[in-house]
Amino acid sequence: MTKKLIIIGSGPAGYTAGVYAARAKLEPLILAGEIHGGQLMNTTVVENWPGSKAGIMGPALMAEMRDQAQKFGAEILDKNVTKVDFSKRPFMVDDYLAEAVIITTGASSIRLDVPGEKEFFGRGVATCAVCDAPFYKDKVALVVGGGDSACEDALTLTKYARQVYLVVRRDALRASKIMAERVTTNPKIKILWQSQVKQILGKTKVEAAVLVNGDKLVTDGVFLAIGHRPATEIFLGQINLDHKGYIINGASKDYPTMTNITGVFAAGDVVDHRYKQAVTAAGMGCMAALDAEKWLENK
Ligand SMILES: Cc1cc2nc3c(=O)[nH]c(=O)nc-3n(C[C@H](O)[C@H](O)[C@H](O)COP(=O)(O)OP(=O)(O)OC[C@H]3O[C@@H](n4cnc5c(N)ncnc54)[C@H](O)[C@@H]3O)c2cc1C
């Protein structure tokens, strides 16, 4: 049987799309992924989700979103989609057929793959300075990377931390000139050129980082800012991606979240390499569901 709408992915974008689509009686099927709930499943307290003054634990927030989508009638299967065919309608998503599809497969930060990184992820090892910087008031933080994101993270952290190290692999920053200037002239930031983190140490949380030259830096946090990888492998050759692999939407002025394939929409971190926030992903998920609803009505 052909579904009206399939949503691929189950982060804030996917579940929000699910809530809106289910309330619009589109009876959406959410293919949530084997590891459902998205990136917030790997964090502790989320302090910038509007409406939760006391903060909310990431997994609790995602469980609420999932329940809410189900409450309105979304069907959720914790399966990874391995194959899509968008060349004709109805679209094929694994063995399922759909008139419209919303892609919300998200992105993941590129890891260093060093000892201690996995162990202390969420306990000092972080990937989002906008999210976690306020936890570093009067503490020491270390940022890994040399591009614009790393510089932005380092500058964000200086608003709270007393000292910020920036560990740069090369002898120059890849960031824009203005960013590089802000970082190099900030008295709180110490740049460690031609260096890399080779180990992260601690007992219950991050306490230090060891560099390739053997130096041990005492730090409360290690922020990874060496890029993100959008989960778009299965869409290669099917829809337009940018040079970093993010989905390009906005092909239609009537349906801003539509991709180059009419009837296929995309939302959240899989299209967004700029904001990468739960609330922006959820907002885009809402937009994609409203666009899909309107498109299905007009079709
Ligand atoms: C440790 C950490 C802490 C963070 N803290 C905050 C914070 O405090 N505040 C904030 O606003 N943001 C925070 N973020 C960022 C926020 O989590 C993301 O911006 C947001 O989760 C993006 O939502 P999304 O729905 O686009 O994708 P994601 O959350 O990445 O979810 C994508 C989902 O799609 C699924 N998927 C992928 N491929 C497939 C497939 N082939 N088939 C089926 N399913 C698939 C995945 O399993 C995943 O469940 C944090 C991120 C991390 C990593």
Side-chain angles (χ1 to χ4, degrees), residues 9-13 33 35 38-40 48 81 105-106 131 268-269 276-278 281:
S10 59
I35 303 172
Q39 296 170 57
L40 288 183
N48 54 7
V81 171
T105 47
C131 312
D269 282 15
K276 293 181 291 209
Q277 296 297 296

Side-chain angles (χ1 to χ4, degrees), residues 14-88:
Y15 285 151
T16 305
V19 169
Y20 275 77
R23 293 189 79 239
K25 302 280 176 236
L26 297 182
E27 296 166 351
L29 168 63
I30 302 179
L31 296 171
E34 274 166 22
I35 303 172
H36 57 84
Q39 296 170 57
L40 288 183
M41 298 299 276
N42 301 318
T43 194
T44 51
V45 68
V46 178
E47 286 197 326
N48 54 7
W49 181 256
S52 61
K53 197 166 84 180
I56 181 164
M57 298 301 272
L61 176 60
M62 297 321 297
E64 278 283 331
M65 286 192 198
R66 185 178 169 99
D67 286 352
Q68 196 177 353
Q70 277 172 324
K71 173 184 143 184
F72 292 114
E75 184 187 353
I76 303 180
L77 298 175
D78 295 332
K79 282 185 177 182
N80 281 342
V81 171
T82 54
K83 206 166 149 240
V84 295
D85 184 354
F86 295 153
S87 62
K88 55 184 184 306

Side-chain angles (χ1 to χ4, degrees), residues 124-141:
V125 176
T127 55
C128 176
V130 172
C131 312
D132 291 354
F135 299 127
Y136 286 81
K137 193 164 180 299
D138 299 327
K139 293 188 177 177
V140 179

